[in-house]
Amino acid sequence: MTLLVTGGAGFIGSNFIRYWLEKYPEDDIINLDALTYAGNLASLKDVEQSSRYSFIQGNILDADLVGDLVEKADKIVHFAAESHNDRAILDPGIFIETNIKGTFTLLEAAKKYNKHFHHISTDEVFGHLELGTDDAFSETTPYAPRSPYSASKAGSDHIVRAYHETYGLPITITNCSNNFGPYQHPEKFIPRMITDIIDGGTVKIYGDGLYVRDWLYVLDHCRAIDAVLSKGKNGETYLVGGMTSDVSNKDIALKVLEIMGVSEDKIAYVADRPGHDRRYAVDWTKIHNELGWQPEHSFEEWLKETVAWYQNHESWWRPLKERAESIYTK
Ligand code: NAD
Ligand code: TYD
């Protein structure tokens, strides 16, 4: 089988390509990535020589290129997106272009060649939950995005589903919670914190720090996509979440400081993100009951592994960090 992976030079896509090539020695992967600020071929150094892997630098909005590549593939696994909320607040237009129009361009090609389209999306499309409740998002939660990023992802999910209902396109969708692990861009919360501490700086906590995400180790996410591609039902959506329950950003900062042997006075409370979603939590019962998936990497242990990975891979993150810092609320 040949998979066309979009956005494979990003955080999750690069982990997925490595996972898939190792697990399925008969399969080939074509990686289509525009190499935006978030795309980094250094994340794929160890697979670039593989005869089963090829890289095409190009934009998912390029209909001719997309058509040629989709024709060659058996399935499309669509990761490519603008993915950072802070950037979406400053410059939402590119999120609409890439996440909505880019997905539409891919869907048109998938429809033309009748190829299975797997769409990677986020739990943020459901809006946010109250602190101190047991509520969790499930496949039946109504969409209620609150930020330009999550609204653009919600739009793309709707169009994917519409192509299934209207044209009979074979599709599956996964909506997952916040990922963490190796090769995540240092603009995101956990890597930003680790790399700031390595540099002797402060950990920036937005607002009161009592914001909660449902942290999912990136390899567990790759395993979930694998389960859906292998056994998922055509037209279905599966939610994917992690093993944390209600760990706040402040708690995570304290854990990271402890792991790195640095004192708590390195925490700096900075201006809050506008429209900051308070809490996300994912009920992953459906993918567990129907496809036998569950997360296997505990947050505590894999947070330590992730800290160690960044400590040992400074040459990977340093150039990205230098380019990214200017966008932040200081
Ligand atoms: P990322 O920002 O690390 O990587 C995105 C990749 O897409 C980059 O390699 C970039 O170059 C590429 N790209 C961007 N625009 C493109 C375009 N127009 N054409 C071709 N390539 C383009 O993102 P990520 O964290 O790996 O997220 C991957 C997917 O997973 C996204 O769809 C995101 O919405 C979703 N998701 C991510 C998380 C998370 O915690 N990271 C959680 C839920 C869902
Ligand atoms: P982020 O990694 O940007 O992911 P998302 O916006 O998709 O949840 O942020 C995770 C959480 O951490 C979110 O509540 C915002 C917060 N945050 C900080 O407190 N400080 C930071 O420097 C960053 C980047 C995020």
Side-chain angles (χ1 to χ4, degrees):
M1 177 163 76
T2 298
L3 294 184
L4 172 62
V5 171
T6 70
F11 165 44
I12 307 172
S14 62
N15 276 283
F16 177 79
I17 288 173
R18 182 174 299 100
Y19 166 93
W20 197 273
L21 287 174
E22 204 176 305
K23 176 141 185 230
Y24 296 103
E26 305 297 312
D27 289 357
D28 291 343
I29 288 186
I30 304 168
N31 174 15
L32 169 64
D33 196 297
L35 297 183
T36 68
Y37 81 93
N40 188 359
L41 290 181
S43 307
L44 291 160
K45 267 263 161 277
D46 52 331
V47 305
E48 70 185 9
Q49 298 305 329
S50 166
S51 58
R52 297 185 291 121
Y53 168 75
S54 54
F55 172 68
I56 310 288
Q57 181 169 1
N59 200 306
I60 55 169
L61 285 152
D62 180 341
D64 292 338
L65 173 64
V66 160
D68 289 347
L69 297 176
V70 165
E71 188 178 10
K72 288 183 191 146
D74 297 296
K75 292 186 180 184
I76 301 133
V77 189
H78 176 38
F79 294 92
E82 288 294 333
S83 70
H84 190 38
N85 268 306
D86 292 328
R87 287 180 189 263
I89 293 163
L90 297 172
D91 185 12
I94 184 79
F95 286 70
I96 305 301
E97 287 294 318
T98 298
N99 299 357
I100 299 184
K101 285 199 198 161
T103 302
F104 163 72
T105 307
L106 285 160
L107 284 166
E108 279 288 283
K111 172 162 83 79
K112 180 169 177 193
Y113 296 107
N114 194 33
K115 299 292 169 73
H116 183 108
F117 189 88
H118 180 72
H119 182 57
I120 314 290
S121 192
T122 168
D123 61 354
E124 300 185 26
V125 298
F126 302 113
H128 68 161
L129 301 164
E130 299 271 320
L131 278 184
T133 65
D134 292 334
D135 298 348
F137 302 133
S138 77
E139 288 77 5
T140 56
T141 304
Y143 275 49
R146 303 177 63 252
S147 77
Y149 163 66
S150 52
S152 70
K153 292 297 291 187
S156 66
D157 293 11
H158 291 315
I159 302 169
V160 174
R161 225 170 266 119
Y163 269 61
H164 176 71
E165 299 295 343
T166 309
Y167 306 115
L169 183 72
I171 64 115
T172 40
I173 300 177
T174 42
N175 294 81
C176 71
S177 56
N178 287 63
N179 287 217
F180 70 104
Y183 301 106
Q184 186 169 30
H185 196 286
E187 69 182 356
K188 300 282 170 74
F189 181 49
I190 290 178
R192 185 184 188 200
M193 190 159 44
I194 300 167
T195 55
D196 278 347
I197 299 170
I198 292 173
D199 280 349
T202 54
V203 167
K204 283 88 178 166
I205 300 282
Y206 295 171
D208 58 14
L210 302 179
Y211 291 89
V212 169
R213 269 80 184 112
D214 183 341
W215 293 95
L216 168 69
Y217 190 63
V218 64
L219 275 185
D220 281 332
H221 184 195
C222 295
R223 292 174 43 251
I225 299 166
D226 182 1
V228 173
L229 285 173
S230 313
K231 299 178 271 185
K233 216 168 126 204
N234 182 13
E236 293 289 309
T237 289
Y238 299 89
L239 264 57
V240 183
M243 290 172 89
T244 53
S245 65
D246 282 14
V247 186
S248 71
N249 293 343
K250 184 182 167 193
D251 292 339
I252 295 175
L254 291 172
K255 278 184 208 294
V256 170
L257 288 166
E258 191 189 332
I259 294 166
M260 298 180 76
V262 175
S263 88
E264 290 179 21
D265 60 16
K266 285 284 181 192
I267 291 187
Y269 290 92
V270 299
D272 209 349
R273 172 186 283 172
H276 197 168
D277 285 341
R278 189 45 95 174
R279 173 173 166 266
Y280 307 138
V282 166
D283 175 354
W284 39 265
T285 307
K286 177 177 172 180
I287 188 170
H288 179 59
N289 288 350
E290 294 185 12
L291 308 182
W293 176 91
Q294 64 183 53
E296 286 178 352
H297 295 79
S298 77
F299 184 66
E300 298 278 338
E301 183 184 348
W302 290 86
L303 183 63
K304 281 189 204 137
E305 296 285 336
T306 302
V307 169
W309 190 88
Y310 281 89
Q311 287 172 322
N312 294 326
H313 291 81
E314 183 171 342
S315 61
W316 181 86
W317 56 260
R318 176 69 63 197
L320 305 178
K321 190 167 182 75
E322 278 165 7
R323 271 185 275 143
E325 273 305 309
S326 58
I327 73 146
Y328 291 114
T329 323
K330 295 274 180 189

